[in-house]
C-alpha cells in the first residue's frame, strides 16, 4: 500500500529531501518517479522513469522507462539530446497514429523499445488514415505490426487495446494484467496494466462512430465494394472515382484524419493502490524559478492525446476514486477548441495543474486563447510545453511503500 510521498525540493534550489511523516523508517520500499513532458513542439512525448528500491531484498532496485507518444516538430532534436536516457524504453504508449504523435518512431529505431501499447484499429480505420497519408506512412497503416517489428525487431511485444464495445463498457472491475507478462497481445479498454504491484497504467479507447459524417460513410461504402488492391492501399490508382473526388476537396484529408484521430487512446498513470496518503511533490519547467504555488499534492497523470473532452470525462468516471489522485492533466488536442468543453474541469475538480503541448509556429491556433482564459479564471495553472528546451516540464516523486 502506498503510504506517503516525499518531496525532493532540489528543483527549488533547496538541495535536500523533507519527509512528511515522522513514522517513515528505513525498512520501507521506496519508489522514485521522474516525469518529463518533453519539449517536442507541435506534438507530444512524455517520459516516466521508475526506480523501486526493495528494502527486504537488500536494497536491490527494479526500474523501467515508459514513454507516452513520440512525435513533434522537434522530436529528432529531443531524442538526440536524451539518447543516453532513451537507450532502452520498456513501454511505449501510442495514443493514436497521427504523425505529430508517432513521427519519432523512425528515430527511436536506434533504441531498445521492448513493448508498444497502442489502440486497436480495424481495417476500415487504417484505410481511412492511409488514404490521408504519404506513401511511406501508408506502409505503416497497411500492416502496423510488420512495420514496427521491422524497425524494432521480432522480439518487440505489441499490445493492442480493444475499444469499448457491447461486451466491455470500459470499467475496470478490478482486472489487472502484469505489464511485463510475456505473450500479452491485447487487453480490453479500461483494463489495468500493473507494474511491480505499485504502479498502474489504464488505457481507454472508445469505439469509432462515423454515422454522422456523410463523406466517411461514402468512402467506407466504396471500400466495402472494392477489391483487395484498393483495400490494402497497395495501388491508389485503382481508387473508385467517388473516393478520389472526396479527397480532392480542399482540407478534406486533414478533416477525415481529425475525425479518426479523435478516437485517441487516453491513459491514466498512477499508483495501483490509492488508499494511502499523498503529500507533496515538485512540478516545474526545467531551469525556471518556481515559487511554492507550483507545488501540487497529487501524483497521478492523465494523458489525453487528441481525444474529445466528452471521452476524457467518460473515462474519468470509470476510474472511480483513482481520478481524485490526478495532479496533472493533459489538455486534449493541443488546446483545440474543437475538442474542448467544460466537462474537462469535472475530471478531477481538485486538480489545478494542466499541461498543453504545441509548437510556436503551428497553423491551427493552438492553444485556443478562450480555453487559457477560462482556466486562468478558474485558478488553474497551465504549463506550456513547446519546442523551447526550457519549457520541459519536470516532476519528481519519492513514494514510500509498506
Amino acid at each position: 500500500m502506498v503510504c506517503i510521498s516525499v518531496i525532493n525540493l532540489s528543483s527549488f534550489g533547496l538541495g535536500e529531501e523533507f519527509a512528511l511523516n515522522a513514522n517513515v523508517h528505513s525498512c520501507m520500499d521506496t519508489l522514485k518517479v521522474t516525469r518529463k513532458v518533453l519539449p517536442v513542439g507541435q506534438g507530444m512525448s512524455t517520459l516516466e522513469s521508475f526506480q523501486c528500491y526493495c528494502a527486504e531484498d537488500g536494497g536491490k532496485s527494479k526500474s523501467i522507462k515508459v514513454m507516452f507518444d513520440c512525435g513533434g516538430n522537434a522530436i529528432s532534436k529531443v531524442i538526440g539530446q536524451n539518447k543516453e536516457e532513451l537507450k532502452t524504453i520498456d513501454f511505449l504508449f501510442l495514443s493514436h497514429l497521427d504523425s505529430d504523435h508517432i513521427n519519432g518512431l523512425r528515430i527511436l529505431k536506434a533504441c531498445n523499445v521492448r513493448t508498444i501499447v497502442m489502440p486497436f484499429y480495424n481495417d476500415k480505420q487504417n484505410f481511412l488514415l492511409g488514404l490521408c497519408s504519404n506513401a511511406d506512412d501508408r506502409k505503416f497503416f497497411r500492416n502496423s505490426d510488420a512495420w514496427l517489428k521491422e524497425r524494432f525487431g521480432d522480439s518487440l511485444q505489441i499490445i493492442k487495446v480493444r475499444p469499448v464495445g457491447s461486451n466491455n463498457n470500459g470499467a475496470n472491475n478490478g482486472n489487472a494484467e502484469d505489464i511485463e507478462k510475456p505473450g500479452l497481445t491485447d487487453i480490453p479498454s479500461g483494463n489495468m496494466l500493473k507494474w511491480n504491484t505499485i504502479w498502474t497504467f489504464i488505457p481507454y479507447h472508445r469505439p469509432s462512430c462515423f454515422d454522422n459524417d456523410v463523406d466517411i460513410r461514402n468512402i467506407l461504402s466504396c471500400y466495402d465494394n472494392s477489391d483487395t488492391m484498393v483495400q490494402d492501399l497497395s495501388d491508389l490508382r485503382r481508387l473508385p472515382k467517388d473516393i478520389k473526388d472526396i479527397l480532392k476537396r480542399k482540407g478534406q484529408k486533414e478533416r477525415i484524419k481529425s475525425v479518426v484521430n479523435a478516437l485517441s487512446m487516453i491513459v491514466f498513470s498512477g499508483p495501483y493502490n490509492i488508499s494511502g496518503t499523498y503529500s507533496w511533490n515538485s512540478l516545474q519547467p526545467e531551469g525556471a524559478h518556481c515559487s511554492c504555488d507550483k507545488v501540487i499534492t497529487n501524483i497521478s497523470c492523465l494523458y489525453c492525446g487528441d481525444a474529445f473532452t466528452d471521452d476524457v470525462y467518460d473515462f474519468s468516471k470509470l476510474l472511480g476514486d483513482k481520478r481524485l489522485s490526478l495532479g496533472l492533466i493533459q489538455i486534449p488536442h493541443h488546446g483545440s477548441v474543437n475538442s474542448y468543453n467544460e466537462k474537462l474541469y469535472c475530471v478531477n475538480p481538485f486538480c489545478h495543474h494542466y499541461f498543453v503541448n504545441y509548437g510556436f509556429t503551428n497553423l491551427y491556433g493552438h492553444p485556443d486563447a478562450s480555453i487559457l482564459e477560462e482556466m486562468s479564471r478558474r485558478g488553474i495553472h497551465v504549463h506550456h510545453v513547446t519546442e523551447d528546451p526550457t519549457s520541459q516540464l519536470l516532476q519528481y516523486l519519492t513514494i514510500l511503500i509498506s
Side-chain angles (χ1 to χ4, degrees), residues 126 159 185 204 246 270 332 355 397:
N126 282 321
I159 302 174
T185 58
Y204 176 84
I246 291 173
F355 71 94
L397 308 167

Side-chain angles (χ1 to χ4, degrees), residues 44-212:
M44 160 63 183
S45 189
T46 296
L47 182 67
E48 292 187 349
S49 302
F50 298 84
Q51 188 116 24
C52 183
Y53 298 90
C54 306
E56 293 183 359
D57 198 14
K60 290 183 180 178
S61 66
K62 300 176 183 177
S63 63
I64 59 167
K65 286 189 172 72
V66 183
M67 182 175 270
F68 301 87
D69 284 338
C70 60
N73 58 289
I75 188 69
S76 178
K77 179 180 178 182
V78 169
I79 291 176
Q81 292 172 337
N82 293 274
K83 60 184 178 182
E84 286 301 313
E85 189 172 9
L86 296 176
K87 276 184 176 179
T88 296
I89 299 170
D90 296 282
F91 303 96
L92 169 58
F93 285 82
L94 301 177
S95 64
H96 62 294
L97 305 182
D98 200 2
S99 60
D100 65 338
H101 289 252
I102 65 168
N103 65 349
L105 287 174
R106 292 180 175 85
I107 308 161
L108 284 180
K109 68 180 181 181
C111 308
N112 176 24
V113 179
R114 294 177 52 223
T115 300
I116 291 178
V117 184
M118 59 188 288
F120 171 83
Y121 281 9
N122 61 35
D123 290 342
K124 291 183 178 181
Q125 290 167 322
N126 282 321
F127 178 74
L128 288 169
L129 290 170
L131 282 178
C132 305
S133 303
N134 59 41
D136 194 38
D137 286 345
R138 277 198 295 276
K139 296 176 184 176
F140 179 87
F141 294 114
R142 286 174 62 186
N143 190 332
S144 59
D145 287 18
W147 190 96
L148 290 168
K149 292 202 172 203
E150 181 181 336
R151 277 147 185 83
F152 299 115
D154 290 335
S155 63
L156 175 71
Q157 185 168 358
I158 301 172
I159 302 174
K160 301 284 184 71
V161 179
R162 299 194 300 272
V164 173
S166 57
N167 296 322
N168 170 32
N169 65 1
N172 175 258
N173 300 321
N175 296 324
E177 292 278 5
D178 183 344
I179 196 169
E180 297 182 293
K181 177 182 177 181
L184 185 62
T185 58
D186 68 283
I187 60 169
S189 184
N191 208 77
M192 287 191 285
L193 290 168
K194 184 172 60 171
W195 178 70
N196 204 29
T197 72
I198 301 169
W199 205 262
T200 188
F201 308 96
I202 308 177
Y204 176 84
H205 179 208
R206 81 167 178 88
S208 60
C209 182
F210 304 129
D211 293 346
N212 297 325

Side-chain angles (χ1 to χ4, degrees), residues 215-286:
D215 286 333
I216 290 182
R217 285 209 320 267
N218 289 338
I219 289 174
L220 294 181
S221 177
C222 292
Y223 171 93
D224 289 333
N225 296 310
S226 298
D227 60 31
T228 304
M229 293 288 283
V230 170
Q231 292 183 353
D232 71 4
L233 301 168
S234 58
D235 189 355
L236 294 190
R237 294 171 300 179
R238 299 179 62 169
L239 283 175
K241 182 178 181 300
D242 288 350
I243 293 182
K244 289 180 179 178
D245 289 343
I246 291 173
L247 296 178
K248 284 178 184 176
R249 296 179 204 155
K250 185 178 179 180
Q252 189 71 350
K253 287 186 178 181
E254 282 300 314
R255 192 190 67 79
I256 292 172
K257 206 153 89 168
S258 70
V259 172
V260 183
N261 284 331
L263 307 174
S264 271
M265 187 171 76
I266 307 162
V267 183
F268 169 91
S269 174
Y272 175 64
N273 187 328
I274 65 163
S275 62
T277 303
Y278 303 109
S279 295
W280 304 96
N281 57 72
S282 60
L283 176 66
Q284 69 161 27
E286 184 175 18

